[in-house]
Amino acid sequence: MTKVIYPGSFDPVTKGHLDIIKRSSKIMEQVTVAVLENPRKIATYSIEERVKMLKMVTEPYPNVTVDYYKGLLIEYAQNNNINIVIKGLRAMSDFEFVFQMALVNQKLSPSMETLFMMTNNKYSFLSSSIVKEIACLGGDIRSLVPPEVHNIIIAKYQS
Ligand code: ADP
């Protein structure tokens, strides 16, 4: 069975993330979307909020599950018998860091493979930070995030 893990901060989930999830679920038997704490980023949404949003948007895909883990990606993957990581690639600027992480994971766990999935060009500019920046300035983010989670995302910026 081809099981993959799609890790990220998903702070919050965007249409770009969902596109990668949908496309992976078509070619892999089981996709685990894992919310991992990124020590280099201060999160806007709690882990619970991020997991809840991901569960809402992945409901139509029966072979996609959502989980979270506070620790090393390879540790989580090993505990769950997963040895393929999916990473999205938007631009060359993503490449260097993702490449480095893939090599580190391979060093720590030689059986771990990383597959890169090209962004859909509709979403190549899209990131969670862009969504937050626009939402914070009162802009319309409807075209950037899945409709089911739009209200949860903007609620942070309305008070
Ligand atoms: P991290 O903080 O770990 O980079 P993100 O939530 O920003 O997590 O992204 C998770 C994964 O989704 C990464 O592999 C990233 O490259 C990918 N990704 C993010 N936005 C897009 C997009 N618009 N198109 C394709 N891949 C994307």
Side-chain angles (χ1 to χ4, degrees):
M1 167 134 134
T2 326
K3 284 163 82 173
V4 297
I5 183 166
Y6 175 44
S9 312
F10 306 105
D11 187 38
V13 61
T14 69
K15 285 191 175 178
H17 295 131
L18 188 57
D19 181 71
I20 298 282
I21 296 170
K22 270 191 213 169
R23 286 160 58 207
S24 306
S25 77
K26 281 194 192 143
I27 55 171
M28 301 295 181
E29 282 169 276
Q30 180 67 45
V31 179
T32 300
V33 181
V35 178
L36 297 170
E37 284 294 1
N38 183 336
R40 282 165 293 105
K41 293 183 185 171
I42 297 168
T44 305
Y45 299 87
S46 68
I47 294 246
E48 292 73 21
E49 288 170 317
R50 288 180 265 160
V51 167
K52 180 180 164 193
M53 288 190 269
L54 281 163
K55 283 191 171 162
M56 288 167 78
V57 303
T58 58
E59 215 194 289
Y61 312 104
N63 62 338
V64 175
T65 54
V66 179
D67 202 357
Y68 69 91
Y69 191 66
K70 290 183 178 168
L72 279 177
L73 165 67
I74 53 147
E75 216 169 68
Y76 177 89
Q78 274 164 357
N79 292 342
N80 290 277
N81 293 318
I82 304 174
N83 52 19
I84 303 175
V85 184
I86 297 270
K87 294 295 285 181
L89 265 189
R90 280 162 292 192
M92 284 314 284
S93 51
D94 271 348
F95 184 73
E96 207 165 326
F97 180 68
V98 169
F99 182 63
Q100 189 184 21
M101 282 312 294
L103 292 176
V104 168
N105 285 336
Q106 199 181 59
K107 183 93 190 149
L108 297 175
S109 171
S111 61
M112 187 71 101
E113 296 290 354
T114 303
L115 300 183
F116 301 102
M117 187 170 273
M118 284 304 296
T119 183
N120 180 325
N121 69 11
K122 280 196 289 194
Y123 304 128
S124 58
F125 64 91
L126 186 51
S127 66
S128 300
S129 332
I130 289 286
V131 166
K132 289 186 277 188
E133 220 167 293
I134 297 173
C136 174
L137 298 170
D140 187 352
I141 57 163
R142 254 175 273 260
S143 60
L144 310 178
V145 299
E148 304 89 321
V149 294
H150 173 262
N151 289 347
I152 302 179
I153 294 174
I154 58 168
K156 279 272 176 221
Y157 300 96
Q158 294 172 328
S159 51

